[in-house]
Amino acid sequence: MTVGLCTTLAVIAIGLARPPTQLDGWMGEQHSVAEKYESATEDEGLGRQVALPTSSAGYSSAFRVMDKASWLQAEIESYRHLPTGWDGEGSVGPSSDALEGARKLIDYLPAGLELPKPMITSSGELGFYWKTDAYYADLIIEEKDLFSLFVRSREHPNSELYFDALLISGDGTAKIQDAFQQI
């Protein structure tokens, strides 16, 4: 019995056998993000798209650590694939313009500002929100290049600001930081 156990341990130690937990397909039951590798095109910019694990050809079970901005971009991109009815009868996914505006806005957010959480409504409206000890804010993508912003102080509930038709550019997104500082 000792010889059998020693032989098994020796075989595992030198790599001739895999430990029992590493059977073929053992990664398939994980509920994490895996990567699908594709070559980058000029339109895509990034050469990797995030997807749920699958056994389809071309997918890797390797996990990728993403920074929060990359995760936020990937989350927004995942909304592109929402089918009609995704949130019950009558629900629709966001328009291509809303998706493009949201991705663009992430790139224009003021440096040093905590990144927001994404949100989508059943009518396809796309936006972001922040909830901190100091304020609550939500931002809605109105068109490809426009957004609206609502900010309410959590310390002084009667103190709130609303801005409509802000440009997704340096001037419009600078208004975000200004609003957070005013509240």
Side-chain angles (χ1 to χ4, degrees):
M1 171 133 159
T2 344
V3 173
L5 179 59
C6 290
T7 304
T8 301
L9 291 175
V11 168
I12 290 173
I14 61 171
L16 298 176
R18 293 181 294 196
T21 58
Q22 294 183 0
L23 298 173
D24 290 333
W26 73 278
M27 292 289 293
E29 300 199 15
Q30 300 294 320
H31 300 286
S32 299
V33 175
E35 293 180 331
K36 177 181 179 183
Y37 294 94
E38 298 178 345
S39 60
T41 66
E42 288 182 24
D43 295 332
E44 293 173 339
L46 295 176
R48 297 179 180 165
Q49 296 179 349
V50 177
L52 294 177
T54 181
S55 59
S56 300
Y59 280 82
S60 168
S61 59
F63 292 94
R64 178 175 149 204
V65 176
M66 300 174 77
D67 62 62
K68 192 168 181 181
S70 297
W71 174 85
L72 193 55
Q73 290 282 6
E75 182 70 13
I76 294 301
E77 186 58 29
S78 76
Y79 296 160
R80 178 180 306 281
H81 306 289
L82 290 173
T84 300
W86 69 272
D87 193 32
E89 189 175 329
S91 60
V92 295
S95 69
S96 294
D97 283 350
L99 289 164
E100 185 178 329
R103 286 193 326 268
K104 185 176 176 182
L105 184 91
I106 293 168
D107 292 335
Y108 277 100
L109 286 172
L113 183 67
E114 179 182 332
L115 289 174
K117 293 177 178 58
M119 62 181 178
I120 183 168
T121 67
S122 60
S123 63
E125 190 175 66
L126 189 56
F128 301 99
Y129 73 95
W130 292 262
K131 187 176 180 182
T132 69
D133 292 340
Y135 57 83
Y136 171 82
D138 68 42
L139 181 151
I140 303 298
I141 306 298
E142 302 293 343
E143 295 178 25
K144 181 165 85 174
D145 294 319
L146 296 175
F147 69 95
S148 62
L149 175 67
F150 171 79
V151 184
R152 173 179 285 151
S153 171
R154 295 189 75 191
E155 297 167 357
H156 309 287
N158 293 333
S159 180
E160 57 186 44
L161 300 168
Y162 178 74
F163 303 95
D164 193 23
L166 296 171
L167 282 173
I168 299 174
S169 66
D171 294 339
T173 51
K175 197 68 147 172
I176 296 170
Q177 188 150 358
D178 293 344
F180 290 172
Q181 290 174 351
Q182 288 179 35
I183 293 290

